[in-house]
């Protein structure tokens, strides 16, 4: 992989390489990251790697959806120049003893719900950035805490790579695209809409003048009280993931909940000042 990047750079001076890391089972959210990478760079590398290090022992690593043939086609059609899909053995020939410590920004929210998750994420992102050597890497705002941590790692540890954040891609009714949406069966999809509905309700309450963060969090939790949904958190934080005492346009509302009998865990968020209206709506066939 690294030879490819270096050869591209040697072949044509000044070529910029863009990088889109994913776990595959591609959807339009991933492909918009490719579009953005193409705007920012001359070559686009995509990785597909379901990273065992970021899954907890009771999580869905084995069940995580995979379809490499379909992904290959979608990536090529969208203009990915190089698809990197290493095996777990290639990435981790021995268990990595040295890992990235994500620090206090990982103590809360997803980090609290999924112990070790962000150490696994940052370790694999660090490896991928060293292997691909991109000029710019594009991440989705959908995984807000993740991209804030990646940005912080790149800054704190002096990685020679820019981090670009792309807006969340949603279906027309508000559901954020996610590879895990395939787990939603029957009524689950309708139940899952409470996540974006809660974010929208809180955004509207804030625009309407409600400035008390705890009152806004309670409002979000209220909207999540629907049969078939088990809310995990609804929190207002700043870009360092600290609870806010004053709400402003940069405040982020983050939500996590489990949906349906299978307990599919979904997350979503909105930056209050930008609003869900500024996310990217797409029409996607809804499958049961
Ligand atoms: P994943 O394959 O779920 O690990 O995601 C790979 C990248 O795609 C991450 O940067 C995600 O934030 C991004 N991504 C996933 N879903 C969406 C979405 N609905 N909109 C925008 N970016 C997304």
């Amino acid at each position: 992989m690294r030879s490819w990047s270096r050869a591209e750079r040697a072949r044509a001076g000044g070529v910029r390489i863009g990088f889109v890391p994913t776990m595959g089972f591609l959807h339009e959210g991933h492909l918009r990251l490719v579009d953005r990478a193409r705007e920012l760079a001359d070559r686009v590398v995509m990785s597909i790697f379901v990273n065992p290090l970021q899954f907890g022992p009771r999580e869905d690593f084995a069940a995580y959806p995979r379809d490499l043939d379909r992904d290959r086609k979608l990536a090529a059609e969208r203009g990915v120049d190089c698809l990197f899909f290493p095996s777990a053995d290639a990435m981790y020939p021995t268990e990595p003893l040295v890992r990235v410590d994500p620090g206090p920004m990982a103590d809360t929210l997803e980090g609290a719900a999924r112990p070790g998750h962000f150490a696994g994420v940052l370790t694999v992102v660090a490896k991928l950035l060293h292997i691909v050597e991109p000029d710019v890497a594009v991440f989705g705002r959908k995984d807000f805490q993740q991209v804030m941590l990646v940005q912080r790692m790149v800054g704190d540890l002096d990685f020679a790579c820019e981090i670009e954040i792309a807006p969340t891609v949603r279906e027309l009714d508000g559901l954020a695209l996610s590879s895990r949406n395939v787990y939603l069966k029957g009524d689950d999809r309708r139940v899952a809409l409470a996540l974006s509905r809660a974010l929208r309700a809180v955004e509207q309450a804030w625009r309407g003048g409600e400035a008390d963060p705890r009152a806004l969090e309670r409002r979000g939790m209220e909207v999540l009280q629907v049969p078939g949904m088990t809310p995990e958190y609804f929190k207002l934080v700043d870009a360092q993931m600290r609870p806010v005492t004053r709400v402003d346009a940069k405040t982020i509302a983050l939500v996590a909940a489990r949906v349906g009998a299978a307990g599919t865990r979904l997350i979503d968020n909105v930056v209050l000042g930008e609003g869900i209206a500024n996310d990217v709506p797409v029409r996607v066939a809804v499958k049961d």
Side-chain angles (χ1 to χ4, degrees), residues 20-30 32-33 49 54 64 138-144 146-147 166-170 175-180:
V20 177
T22 81
M23 298 204 298
F25 209 69
L26 300 179
H27 53 64
E28 187 62 23
H30 298 116
R32 297 292 168 120
L33 305 185
F49 182 60
Q54 72 190 66
Y64 196 83
V138 187
F139 290 80
R141 191 188 291 145
K142 160 76 171 32
D143 299 278
F144 193 86
Q146 166 175 287
V147 69
T168 300
V169 178
R170 302 178 178 281
L175 184 69
L177 267 57
S178 163
S179 304
R180 289 193 170 94

Side-chain angles (χ1 to χ4, degrees), residues 93-223:
T94 58
E95 195 193 333
L97 299 180
V98 177
R99 304 185 187 197
V100 176
D101 177 354
M105 278 166 67
D107 289 344
T108 177
L109 304 162
E110 286 309 280
R114 307 180 65 186
H117 171 66
F118 284 121
V121 169
L122 293 188
T123 299
V124 81
V125 171
K127 285 168 66 76
L128 289 167
L129 293 178
H130 289 138
I131 293 166
V132 176
E133 299 186 335
D135 297 280
V136 58
V138 187
F139 290 80
R141 191 188 291 145
K142 160 76 171 32
D143 299 278
F144 193 86
Q145 190 175 10
Q146 166 175 287
V147 69
M148 289 297 118
L149 277 159
V150 167
Q151 238 177 9
R152 209 44 218 231
M153 173 180 78
V154 163
D156 287 353
L157 302 183
D158 303 296
F159 281 64
C161 174
E162 294 160 32
I163 301 299
E164 173 75 8
I165 306 177
T168 300
V169 178
R170 302 178 178 281
E171 297 196 38
L172 299 181
D173 58 12
L175 184 69
L177 267 57
S178 163
S179 304
R180 289 193 170 94
N181 290 353
V182 291
Y183 297 147
L184 302 175
K185 303 292 176 214
D187 211 27
D188 297 350
R189 197 189 168 287
R190 192 184 55 75
V191 172
L193 288 176
L195 270 80
S196 53
R197 205 160 56 235
L199 294 171
R200 210 179 282 111
V202 165
E203 181 195 331
Q204 275 164 8
W206 172 70
R207 288 190 197 281
E210 178 57 78
D212 173 5
R214 304 296 89 79
L216 289 165
E217 288 171 352
R218 281 196 297 276
R219 175 81 192 103
M221 278 306 246
E222 266 167 36
V223 181

Side-chain angles (χ1 to χ4, degrees), residues 31-90:
L31 298 173
R32 297 292 168 120
L33 305 185
V34 172
D35 294 346
R36 187 73 189 115
R38 274 157 54 99
E39 286 170 4
L40 297 170
D42 308 292
R43 303 283 185 276
V44 175
V45 178
M46 173 187 273
S47 64
I48 294 180
F49 182 60
V50 184
N51 174 34
L53 227 54
Q54 72 190 66
F55 287 79
R58 279 174 296 280
E59 294 183 0
D60 58 345
F61 173 70
Y64 196 83
R66 295 160 167 91
D67 190 343
L68 189 56
D69 287 342
R70 179 171 162 276
D71 287 351
R72 275 179 135 133
K73 273 195 213 96
L74 290 171
E77 277 166 21
R78 208 58 169 241
V80 168
D81 297 290
C82 176
L83 190 65
F84 178 54
F85 49 99
S87 67
D89 285 348

Side-chain angles (χ1 to χ4, degrees), residues 109-110 113 195 221 224 229-235 254-258 265-268:
L109 304 162
E110 286 309 280
L195 270 80
M221 278 306 246
L224 297 175
M229 174 162 285
T230 311
E232 285 199 0
Y233 61 74
F234 190 105
K235 293 282 180 215
L254 294 121
V255 60
R258 290 188 180 273
R265 198 167 174 284
L266 299 178
I267 58 171
D268 200 351

